[in-house]
Amino acid sequence: MPEHQPRTGAPGWVDLTSSDPKHVIPFYRELFGWQADTNEDPQYGGYTIFSHRGAPVAGLGPQQPGNPYGNIWTVYLDSDDADVTARKAGDAGGQVLMPAMKVGDQGTMAILADPAGAMIGVWQADQHHGFGFDSEPGAPVWFEAMSRNYAASLSFYRDVFGWDCQPMSDSGDFRYSTGKVGGEDIAGIMDASGFLPDGVPSFWQFYIGVEDADAASAAVTRLGGTVEREAEDTPFGRLATISDPLGARLQINQAPPA
C-alpha cells in the first residue's frame, strides 16, 4: 500500500457534506469496507474520518445552517498557503466562496469556485495530511472537473495551482486535458459544455476504486443508494456513477486488467 504523498496543486482529500451523517455512514461502511471515526470535539463540528486498512481516505461533515451545498462531495487540492491560493483564485477569475480558515490543529481550508463555476476546496496541511493512500481499491483513484468553460478552467488551474495541462483529446466529441504536477498526471478537465443538461453547473467529481464495479453497483442498490449510470467498460476501467441514500453523487472505478 504506497503512502500518498501530498503535492502542492494535487488532490489530497475529499469529503462529504451531508444533511444526515448518521444515515449515510452505514452505506459507505458497507459499500467500501470503510471504518468511521467521529470527532465529538465541538471545534470540529462532529467531523468523521473514514479510513480503510488503517489509513484515512475521506471525510464526512454535517451540513451547517445556511450552507446551500448539502449532500455533496468536495475535492480538495493541496496548498502550501491556503490564503495565498484564495487570493490567486480571485485574480484568475474565480470566486472565494469561503475564505481561508484554520481547522483546529489539523490545517487550513478554503472553498473556491473556478471561472466555470465548479466548486473546489483547498487544503493546507498541519496535522492532517489528507489521504493515507490512494490509487487503490477502497480509496480515491482519479479526479476531474466537468467544465462549461473549458478554456477558462485550463487557465485557472495552470495559474492558481501550477498545473501543466496536456491535451488527451481535442475533438468536438471529446475534449479532455490532464493536469500534471511534477510530471505526474493528477487530475483531468473535460469540456462538458456540449452534454451537461440545462441548469446543471460545472462540477468536480472523483472515483473510488473497487474490485468489481458490478458487484459494487448491486451493493449500492441493496444499501439504499442509486446507480445513476450503469457500469460500463472504458479504456480507463469499468466505471459507474452512484449516489448514496441522500443523493450525494460519486463514481466507482474497477481498474482495467494489468
Side-chain angles (χ1 to χ4, degrees):
M1 184 176 70
E3 183 179 350
H4 168 81
Q5 298 296 324
R7 292 159 293 174
T8 298
W13 191 240
V14 294
D15 68 12
L16 169 63
T17 299
S18 178
S19 58
D20 190 348
K22 290 183 178 179
H23 184 65
V24 296
I25 283 174
F27 173 84
Y28 291 101
R29 207 164 42 201
E30 293 295 323
L31 180 61
F32 297 126
W34 290 350
Q35 292 182 313
D37 297 299
T38 301
N39 191 328
E40 302 296 348
D41 187 327
Q43 71 175 319
Y44 298 117
Y47 196 80
T48 296
I49 297 289
F50 288 118
S51 60
H52 188 58
R53 290 187 284 164
V57 290
L60 166 63
Q63 183 179 4
Q64 300 301 314
N67 179 1
Y69 304 107
N71 300 311
I72 187 172
W73 282 92
T74 301
V75 175
Y76 293 80
L77 303 182
D78 287 333
S79 170
D80 290 332
D81 189 319
D83 189 57
V84 169
T85 298
R87 290 202 300 270
K88 284 184 177 180
D91 293 341
Q95 291 180 278
V96 179
L97 302 179
M98 189 187 80
M101 62 170 283
K102 285 187 176 293
V103 184
D105 63 356
Q106 299 302 294
T108 302
M109 66 178 289
I111 302 293
L112 314 174
D114 68 25
M119 186 172 69
I120 184 71
V122 175
W123 182 251
Q124 177 189 341
D126 187 351
Q127 297 303 303
H128 176 62
H129 295 139
F131 310 127
F133 70 104
D134 57 14
S135 303
E136 292 187 17
V141 297
W142 188 242
F143 314 82
E144 60 194 6
M146 310 296 281
S147 177
R148 285 189 172 276
N149 190 337
Y150 181 67
S153 293
L154 291 175
S155 295
F156 179 83
Y157 292 100
R158 283 192 192 107
D159 295 344
V160 178
F161 293 100
W163 288 12
D164 174 20
C165 295
Q166 297 294 323
M168 175 186 293
S169 173
D170 199 29
S171 71
D173 294 332
F174 181 55
R175 186 168 286 112
Y176 193 100
S177 288
T178 55
K180 294 176 179 287
V181 169
E184 183 178 346
D185 293 340
I186 49 89
I189 300 175
M190 178 178 282
D191 181 357
S193 59
F195 61 81
L196 283 182
D198 289 343
V200 176
S202 303
F203 62 92
W204 271 83
Q205 63 182 19
F206 72 101
Y207 299 77
I208 295 290
V210 295
E211 297 283 0
D212 185 323
D214 295 285
S217 296
V220 167
T221 302
R222 185 181 74 250
L223 295 168
T226 302
V227 177
E228 300 198 3
R229 184 170 182 175
E230 297 287 345
E232 59 181 343
D233 290 321
T234 77
F236 311 103
R238 191 160 174 79
L239 313 178
T241 300
I242 65 172
S243 58
D244 71 20
L246 295 178
R249 183 182 292 112
L250 68 159
Q251 283 64 41
I252 56 175
N253 169 241
Q254 175 187 336

